[in-house]
């Protein structure tokens, strides 16, 4: 399930791209899994088909999915995070939530640590 | 016959006008704003969400009934077509109803500030078990096979219409009819194709309709699609069974009568042709009754989509129906 926030300053295509990309990296969308058609996703999210098409196109450029006219969009192999990375992320999220951090604050902590390394 | 064609084209135009009007009204009506809460969805919002699904099914059934009455009246007035327009009436009416169903637009969704979407692809066959789609397909194939078989064994009447079965042996010959030869068979094959095509379009409409906007109604969204798919499949299967039964009855009767009359040496009816004809003639009404029962079940389900969907959700999880993808 993905959610499009109409009030968000982030463009709709970017919200779609980001959420699907996250689900693929987290392994929730496995290799070879089919994604809904552009028309279905656009209808459900109440956006133009071009918006979803742009998100899919960027996901394909990033190597996360492959699209074809015959089989639609599918998740490419080997795009999920490694098991240890996923475990570390889960541990970090649990700690962040335990400290009542918002998502932005938690991401800020990662960014800060990333720059120091 | 041309009058019947004009009537059917007028009906197709009516489908176009009704669906265009519904589309226009749907686009003009301002989208309501409803808050997306975190608790369970209210009964009234669920009822509202189900109303359209039920209205669409009921409008299609009403249209099919009106079309049936109009075509029936027109086909009774025809003379010289030996029942052909009458034979096409039910199939064309069912196709018209299914076409209207597939052409009515989805309702304008209420604005919630956020839209949700599942990442599970929806296909026309996603909302029912695989066998529920294979059975009508198999019936359609068998029915076309029966029509081809009767066509190949048919003989022309005095006007050159292939609607008789003729048995001949040297100097003796006998014929019986009406027999569903090419004269009835070819139009009936076209009706079968129209019925199958319109059912496929209706199933496609069910799967392509945008999901309900409130994520708390995801299960309800699934249920109305499952029930609507069942309605369409039962309607199509029932119509096909009715046609197959009617054709079997006519063919069996003609074969049995011809075999009974082909009594050269006074040893009774020609066997085993008589037995085959009799068995097929007996199977015909059974198929017709089965088809009528399926159509009754489809109509009943269409009238109760709203309550059935909500009732099924109220059942414990272990009694709930199969989930999406059962037939995928």
């Amino acid at each position: 399930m993905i959610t499009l926030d109409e009030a968000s300053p982030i463009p709709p295509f970017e919200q779609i791209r980001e959420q699907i990309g996250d689900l693929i990296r987290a392994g929730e969308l496995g290799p070879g899994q089919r994604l809904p058609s552009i028309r279905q996703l656009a209808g459900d999210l109440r956006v133009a088909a071009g918006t979803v098409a742009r998100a899919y196109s960027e996901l394909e450029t990033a190597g996360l999915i492959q699209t074809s006219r015959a089989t639609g969009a599918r998740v490419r192999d080997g795009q999920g995070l490694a098991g240890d990375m996923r475990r570390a992320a889960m541990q970090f999220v649990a700690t962040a939530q335990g400290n009542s951090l918002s998502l932005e604050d938690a991401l800020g902590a990662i960014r800060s640590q990333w720059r120091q390394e | 016959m041309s009058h019947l064609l004009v009537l059917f084209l007028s009906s197709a135009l009516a489908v176009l006008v009704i669906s265009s009007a519904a589309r226009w009204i749907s686009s003009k009506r301002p989208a309501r704003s409803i808050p997306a809460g975190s608790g369970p969805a209210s009964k009234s919002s669920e009822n509202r969400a189900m109303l359209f699904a039920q209205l669409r099914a009921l409008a299609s059934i009403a249209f099919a009934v009106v079309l049936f009455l109009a075509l029936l009246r027109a086909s009774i007035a025809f003379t010289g077509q030996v029942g052909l327009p009458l034979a096409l009436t039910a199939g064309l009416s069912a196709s018209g109803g299914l076409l209207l169903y597939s052409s009515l637009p989805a309702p304008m969704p209420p604005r919630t500030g956020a839209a949700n979407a599942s990442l599970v692809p929806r296909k026309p066959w996603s909302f029912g078990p695989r066998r529920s789609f294979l059975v009508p397909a198999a019936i359609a194939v068998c029915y076309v096979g029966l029509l081809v078989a009767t066509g190949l064994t048919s003989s022309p009447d005095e006007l050159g219409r292939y609607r008789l079965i003729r048995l001949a042996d040297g100097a003796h010959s006998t014929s019986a009819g009406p027999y569903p030869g090419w004269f009835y068979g070819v139009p009936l094959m076209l009706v079968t194709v129209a019925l199958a095509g319109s059912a496929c379009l209706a199933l496609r409409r069910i799967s392509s309709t945008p999901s309900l906007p409130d994520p708390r109604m995801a299960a309800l969204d699934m249920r109305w699609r499952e029930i609507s798919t069942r309605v369409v499949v039962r309607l199509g299967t029932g119509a096909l069974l009715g046609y197959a039964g009617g054709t079997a009855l006519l063919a069996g009767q003609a074969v049995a009568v011809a075999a009974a009359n082909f009594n050269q040496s006074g040893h009774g009816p020609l066997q085993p042709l008589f037995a085959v004809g009799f068995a097929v003639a007996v199977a015909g009404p059974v198929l017709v009754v089965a088809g009528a029962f399926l159509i009754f079940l489809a109509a009943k389900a269409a009238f109760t989509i709203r309550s059935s969907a909500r009732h099924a959700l109220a059942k414990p999880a272990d009694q709930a129906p199969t989930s999406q993808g059962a037939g995928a």
Side-chain angles (χ1 to χ4, degrees):
Chain A
M1 179 80 80
I2 62 171
T3 302
L4 195 68
D5 184 358
E6 292 174 10
S8 170
I10 302 170
F13 86 86
E14 181 60 25
Q15 291 185 49
I16 298 167
R17 186 199 65 75
E18 191 178 86
Q19 290 181 60
I20 294 178
D22 288 349
L23 289 170
I24 292 171
R25 288 191 201 93
E28 288 185 39
L29 292 174
Q33 188 166 333
R34 272 190 181 186
L35 294 177
S37 68
I38 289 174
R39 213 173 145 184
Q40 176 188 324
L41 200 53
D44 289 354
L45 292 173
R46 280 79 180 164
V47 293
T51 304
V52 177
R54 185 172 172 190
Y56 275 16
S57 169
E58 298 213 354
L59 285 165
E60 189 172 24
T61 306
L64 292 173
I65 65 169
Q66 55 191 6
T67 59
S68 85
R69 199 172 278 273
T71 59
R74 284 178 183 274
V75 177
R76 290 183 74 137
D77 290 346
Q79 298 305 314
L81 290 175
D84 55 345
M85 274 298 298
R86 219 177 300 162
R87 278 191 295 278
M90 282 165 65
Q91 200 173 354
F92 175 74
V93 168
T95 308
Q97 287 176 339
N99 286 289
S100 306
L101 255 62
S102 69
L103 176 61
E104 275 310 307
D105 291 342
L107 291 175
I110 288 178
R111 270 194 295 269
S112 164
Q113 191 63 31
W114 192 274
R115 287 190 201 106
Q116 284 176 25
E117 290 293 322
Chain B
M1 197 64 184
S2 60
H3 288 93
L4 196 67
L5 191 65
V6 167
L7 194 58
F8 188 69
L9 289 177
S10 308
S11 307
L13 191 66
V15 169
L16 201 66
V17 169
I18 293 170
S19 63
S20 301
R23 203 177 295 272
W24 183 77
I25 291 168
S26 170
S27 67
K28 288 289 170 191
R29 198 174 55 186
R32 286 168 304 174
S33 179
I34 60 167
S38 54
S42 70
K43 192 174 173 179
S44 64
S45 60
E46 286 182 353
N47 262 331
R48 229 182 5 250
M50 286 298 93
L51 185 63
F52 181 79
Q54 184 154 346
L55 282 180
R56 186 154 67 175
L58 292 181
S60 306
I61 287 176
F63 182 77
V65 170
V66 170
L67 188 57
F68 177 78
L69 294 175
L71 288 175
L72 186 68
R73 194 185 158 126
S75 58
I76 287 171
F78 280 106
T79 53
Q81 292 296 328
V82 283
L84 180 59
L86 204 61
L88 305 180
T89 299
L92 292 179
S93 310
S95 299
L98 288 170
L99 275 180
L100 181 70
Y101 187 91
S102 60
S103 62
L104 283 176
M108 280 288 285
R111 300 188 72 83
T112 60
N116 300 277
S118 162
L119 290 177
V120 178
R122 291 193 299 266
K123 300 286 178 194
W125 54 86
S126 299
F127 302 101
R130 189 178 291 252
R131 67 175 181 282
S132 69
F133 303 104
L134 290 178
V135 167
I139 292 172
V141 170
C142 290
Y143 181 50
V144 170
L146 174 68
L147 291 173
V148 170
T150 58
L152 290 173
T153 52
S154 64
S155 298
D157 62 7
E158 66 278 6
L159 295 174
R161 299 173 300 195
Y162 279 78
R163 51 182 294 272
L164 296 177
I165 182 165
R166 178 167 287 125
L167 301 178
D169 181 16
H172 299 89
S173 84
T174 181
S175 61
Y179 182 71
W182 295 124
F183 178 71
Y184 297 104
V186 172
L188 286 176
M189 278 187 237
L190 293 177
V191 165
T192 305
V193 170
L195 202 57
S198 54
C200 288
L201 285 175
L203 291 175
R204 190 166 170 271
R205 164 56 80 183
I206 291 169
S207 66
S208 66
T209 298
S211 59
L212 297 175
D214 192 333
R216 295 169 299 176
M217 294 186 194
L220 194 68
D221 186 71
M222 178 72 71
R223 279 302 295 156
W224 86 256
R225 290 180 205 273
E226 286 173 350
I227 295 171
S228 301
T229 297
R230 204 180 306 146
V231 168
V232 170
V233 169
R234 279 180 178 169
L235 188 68
T237 310
L240 275 175
L241 276 179
Y243 267 109
T247 306
L249 178 63
L250 277 184
Q253 267 182 345
V255 168
V257 168
N261 292 340
F262 196 72
N263 184 10
Q264 300 163 276
S265 50
H267 291 306
L270 185 66
Q271 295 290 6
L273 204 56
F274 178 78
V276 170
F278 184 76
V280 171
V282 169
V286 175
L287 292 178
V288 170
V289 170
F293 182 64
L294 279 180
I295 290 172
F296 166 74
L297 287 181
K300 189 174 167 230
F303 274 92
T304 55
I305 286 178
R306 203 158 34 147
S307 56
S308 304
R310 299 192 73 246
H311 179 70
L313 290 181
K315 280 184 185 173
D318 58 336
Q319 291 177 24
T322 54
S323 62
Q324 179 177 353

